[in-house]
Amino acid sequence: MTYASLKPVSQAFVQRKRLIFVRVAAMLAVLLLFLTKPALAEGSNGHETLEFFGFCLVLACVTGRLWSILYVGGKKNEELVSTGPFSMSQNPLYFFSTVGAVGIGLAYGSLVAAATLGVASFLIFRVTARKEAEYLLGKFGQAYAAYIKTTPRFWPNPLLYRDDDQLQFSTRALKRTFHDGLYFLAIFPAIELIEYLRQTGLLFPAFVTLY
């Protein structure tokens, strides 16, 4: 089924560029960790608690992204997907990625790092979501206009959840998203390595203490 466009179709936002940007941002975040240290000492109850919750959030991020890609993988910008996680939020992939960013900050043992990474991710994905919305509105017209009127742009509303009886998904997209999720999980050994090197004196002292 085709829909009359409300506006000329703009150029689709290049997903590859977004993925490259996110990966570069993740590497820069790790480099930043070399210059800072959490106020809570490793092994303390507070540090271990934050690390546990951070790990849970990162797992939720990876799981949520895999769940979302089951619905949209291979269909993004080609079909209007409005079931599953996309019935609760227009951008569940971006939401779960932001959750993962907050989790990384908590895993480092710092509330400041968690807030900073979370806000930065939210702002980046907000710009991305706006560009994609312009493209999808031009392509799907009234159907997309009706969808965005009833579905939150970012924060999911579980009360809106609905699903289809059957689901077809792209194994290639699922595999690619799993590989992307490894970037989040790889932060944990990176953090542990930095903490170990600093404790053994092999790494220079941090310049800034994060609470």
Side-chain angles (χ1 to χ4, degrees):
M1 182 180 296
T2 58
Y3 304 94
S5 295
L6 299 180
K7 56 187 290 191
V9 177
S10 60
Q11 183 179 4
F13 186 79
V14 182
Q15 294 299 312
R16 185 178 300 274
K17 291 183 178 180
R18 176 182 60 81
L19 291 174
I20 292 175
F21 179 82
V22 171
R23 291 170 182 175
V24 171
M27 289 186 290
L28 290 176
V30 172
L31 291 176
L32 181 61
L33 298 181
F34 280 92
L35 305 177
T36 64
K37 69 174 182 179
L40 296 173
E42 183 182 10
S44 64
N45 291 335
H47 187 282
E48 293 301 315
T49 299
L50 290 183
E51 190 174 62
F52 172 76
F53 281 112
F55 183 69
C56 290
L57 290 183
V58 170
L59 284 183
C61 161
V62 175
T63 303
R65 284 179 54 81
L66 289 173
W67 178 40
S68 301
I69 211 66
L70 285 175
Y71 287 80
V72 77
K75 305 174 185 177
K76 195 171 182 67
N77 296 329
E78 297 300 329
E79 295 182 21
L80 179 56
V81 179
S82 58
T83 56
F86 291 88
S87 64
M88 301 185 295
S89 169
Q90 297 175 38
N91 300 281
L93 281 165
Y94 298 158
F95 168 76
F96 286 116
S97 294
T98 301
V99 168
V102 174
I104 291 172
L106 292 179
Y108 186 58
S110 169
L111 294 174
V112 172
T116 301
L117 292 175
V119 171
S121 298
F122 174 77
L123 294 177
I124 291 171
F125 290 130
R126 182 179 181 181
V127 173
T128 304
R130 185 168 61 246
K131 290 180 179 292
E132 290 184 343
E134 293 174 356
Y135 170 75
L136 294 173
L137 182 60
K139 183 165 187 175
F140 297 111
Q142 293 287 355
Y144 187 73
Y147 169 67
I148 61 178
K149 284 183 179 179
T150 58
T151 310
R153 174 173 290 186
F154 190 79
W155 304 105
N157 182 356
L159 298 178
L160 299 176
Y161 183 81
R162 61 187 179 86
D163 210 342
D164 293 324
D165 295 331
Q166 296 182 340
L167 176 65
Q168 293 182 335
F169 63 91
S170 167
T171 55
R172 177 179 297 180
L174 189 63
K175 181 179 179 180
R176 183 173 61 247
T177 302
F178 174 76
H179 288 162
D180 290 337
L182 295 180
Y183 280 87
F184 287 94
L185 295 176
I187 295 294
F188 286 94
I191 291 175
E192 294 298 325
L193 177 60
I194 292 172
E195 291 177 346
Y196 171 77
L197 293 177
R198 187 161 284 139
Q199 288 179 350
T200 57
L202 297 177
L203 186 65
F204 53 82
F207 293 104
V208 179
T209 300
L210 297 180
Y211 290 88

